[in-house]
PDB file of all heavy atoms in Angstrom:
ATOM      1  N   LYS B  46      65.134  21.432 -46.002  1.00 97.00           N
ATOM      2  CA  LYS B  46      63.801  20.806 -45.797  1.00 97.00           C
ATOM      3  C   LYS B  46      62.939  21.582 -44.886  1.00 97.00           C
ATOM      4  O   LYS B  46      63.312  21.671 -43.619  1.00 97.00           O
ATOM      5  CB  LYS B  46      63.978  19.367 -45.298  1.00 97.00           C
ATOM      6  CG  LYS B  46      64.850  18.470 -46.236  1.00 97.00           C
ATOM      7  CD  LYS B  46      65.010  17.113 -45.620  1.00 97.00           C
ATOM      8  CE  LYS B  46      65.939  16.211 -46.576  1.00 97.00           C
ATOM      9  NZ  LYS B  46      66.067  14.918 -46.014  1.00 97.00           N
ATOM     10  N   VAL B  47      61.931  22.128 -45.368  1.00 97.00           N
ATOM     11  CA  VAL B  47      61.074  22.941 -44.468  1.00 97.00           C
ATOM     12  C   VAL B  47      59.582  22.573 -44.574  1.00 97.00           C
ATOM     13  O   VAL B  47      59.185  21.829 -45.619  1.00 97.00           O
ATOM     14  CB  VAL B  47      61.210  24.478 -44.726  1.00 97.00           C
ATOM     15  CG1 VAL B  47      62.529  24.987 -44.341  1.00 97.00           C
ATOM     16  CG2 VAL B  47      60.818  24.788 -46.159  1.00 97.00           C
ATOM     17  N   GLY B  48      58.847  22.850 -43.571  1.00 94.00           N
ATOM     18  CA  GLY B  48      57.381  22.490 -43.610  1.00 94.00           C
ATOM     19  C   GLY B  48      56.538  23.435 -42.758  1.00 94.00           C
ATOM     20  O   GLY B  48      57.100  24.118 -41.878  1.00 94.00           O
ATOM     21  N   ASN B  49      55.265  23.400 -43.027  1.00 89.00           N
ATOM     22  CA  ASN B  49      54.358  24.231 -42.132  1.00 89.00           C
ATOM     23  C   ASN B  49      53.495  23.231 -41.400  1.00 89.00           C
ATOM     24  O   ASN B  49      52.781  22.473 -41.947  1.00 89.00           O
ATOM     25  CB  ASN B  49      53.540  25.148 -43.041  1.00 89.00           C
ATOM     26  CG  ASN B  49      52.647  26.017 -42.173  1.00 89.00           C
ATOM     27  OD1 ASN B  49      51.857  25.472 -41.384  1.00 89.00           O
ATOM     28  ND2 ASN B  49      52.649  27.276 -42.394  1.00 89.00           N
ATOM     29  N   PRO B  50      53.579  23.239 -40.058  1.00 83.00           N
ATOM     30  CA  PRO B  50      52.855  22.255 -39.282  1.00 83.00           C
ATOM     31  C   PRO B  50      51.375  22.416 -39.352  1.00 83.00           C
ATOM     32  O   PRO B  50      50.646  21.451 -39.165  1.00 83.00           O
ATOM     33  CB  PRO B  50      53.313  22.508 -37.797  1.00 83.00           C
ATOM     34  CG  PRO B  50      53.994  23.912 -37.829  1.00 83.00           C
ATOM     35  CD  PRO B  50      54.400  24.129 -39.242  1.00 83.00           C
ATOM     36  N   VAL B  51      50.908  23.594 -39.637  1.00 82.00           N
ATOM     37  CA  VAL B  51      49.444  23.742 -39.680  1.00 82.00           C
ATOM     38  C   VAL B  51      48.850  23.158 -40.968  1.00 82.00           C
ATOM     39  O   VAL B  51      47.899  22.325 -40.869  1.00 82.00           O
ATOM     40  CB  VAL B  51      49.036  25.264 -39.607  1.00 82.00           C
ATOM     41  CG1 VAL B  51      47.490  25.428 -39.623  1.00 82.00           C
ATOM     42  CG2 VAL B  51      49.521  25.904 -38.373  1.00 82.00           C
ATOM     43  N   CYS B  52      49.359  23.526 -42.129  1.00 84.00           N
ATOM     44  CA  CYS B  52      48.767  23.007 -43.321  1.00 84.00           C
ATOM     45  C   CYS B  52      49.340  21.710 -43.704  1.00 84.00           C
ATOM     46  O   CYS B  52      48.801  20.994 -44.516  1.00 84.00           O
ATOM     47  CB  CYS B  52      48.915  24.032 -44.426  1.00 84.00           C
ATOM     48  SG  CYS B  52      50.552  24.295 -44.906  1.00 84.00           S
ATOM     49  N   GLY B  53      50.549  21.361 -43.133  1.00 85.00           N
ATOM     50  CA  GLY B  53      51.172  20.084 -43.422  1.00 85.00           C
ATOM     51  C   GLY B  53      52.002  20.073 -44.649  1.00 85.00           C
ATOM     52  O   GLY B  53      52.528  19.001 -45.124  1.00 85.00           O
ATOM     53  N   ASP B  54      52.131  21.234 -45.336  1.00 89.00           N
ATOM     54  CA  ASP B  54      52.862  21.214 -46.573  1.00 89.00           C
ATOM     55  C   ASP B  54      54.336  21.185 -46.342  1.00 89.00           C
ATOM     56  O   ASP B  54      54.814  21.695 -45.328  1.00 89.00           O
ATOM     57  CB  ASP B  54      52.522  22.456 -47.417  1.00 89.00           C
ATOM     58  CG  ASP B  54      51.065  22.412 -47.896  1.00 89.00           C
ATOM     59  OD1 ASP B  54      50.448  21.372 -47.699  1.00 89.00           O
ATOM     60  OD2 ASP B  54      50.602  23.344 -48.570  1.00 89.00           O
ATOM     61  N   VAL B  55      55.053  20.590 -47.304  1.00 93.00           N
ATOM     62  CA  VAL B  55      56.530  20.375 -47.116  1.00 93.00           C
ATOM     63  C   VAL B  55      57.220  20.727 -48.368  1.00 93.00           C
ATOM     64  O   VAL B  55      56.748  20.443 -49.456  1.00 93.00           O
ATOM     65  CB  VAL B  55      56.782  18.835 -46.774  1.00 93.00           C
ATOM     66  CG1 VAL B  55      58.281  18.583 -46.873  1.00 93.00           C
ATOM     67  CG2 VAL B  55      56.247  18.532 -45.358  1.00 93.00           C
ATOM     68  N   MET B  56      58.344  21.429 -48.257  1.00 96.00           N
ATOM     69  CA  MET B  56      59.113  21.858 -49.355  1.00 96.00           C
ATOM     70  C   MET B  56      60.626  21.520 -49.185  1.00 96.00           C
ATOM     71  O   MET B  56      61.117  21.723 -48.139  1.00 96.00           O
ATOM     72  CB  MET B  56      58.967  23.379 -49.490  1.00 96.00           C
ATOM     73  CG  MET B  56      59.311  23.908 -50.861  1.00 96.00           C
ATOM     74  SD  MET B  56      59.157  25.711 -50.863  1.00 96.00           S
ATOM     75  CE  MET B  56      57.400  25.949 -50.837  1.00 96.00           C
ATOM     76  N   TRP B  57      61.164  20.912 -50.214  1.00 97.00           N
ATOM     77  CA  TRP B  57      62.606  20.528 -50.149  1.00 97.00           C
ATOM     78  C   TRP B  57      63.280  21.311 -51.292  1.00 97.00           C
ATOM     79  O   TRP B  57      62.873  21.229 -52.472  1.00 97.00           O
ATOM     80  CB  TRP B  57      62.867  19.056 -50.342  1.00 97.00           C
ATOM     81  CG  TRP B  57      62.426  18.206 -49.180  1.00 97.00           C
ATOM     82  CD1 TRP B  57      61.673  18.566 -48.116  1.00 97.00           C
ATOM     83  CD2 TRP B  57      62.803  16.790 -48.979  1.00 97.00           C
ATOM     84  NE1 TRP B  57      61.498  17.492 -47.336  1.00 97.00           N
ATOM     85  CE2 TRP B  57      62.165  16.436 -47.800  1.00 97.00           C
ATOM     86  CE3 TRP B  57      63.544  15.864 -49.691  1.00 97.00           C
ATOM     87  CZ2 TRP B  57      62.234  15.093 -47.271  1.00 97.00           C
ATOM     88  CZ3 TRP B  57      63.614  14.564 -49.245  1.00 97.00           C
ATOM     89  CH2 TRP B  57      62.990  14.233 -48.001  1.00 97.00           C
TER      90      TRP B  57
END
Side-chain angles (χ1 to χ4, degrees):
Chain B
K46 299 181 179 179
V47 292
N49 181 307
V51 181
C52 66
D54 290 359
V55 170
M56 199 182 287
W57 290 12

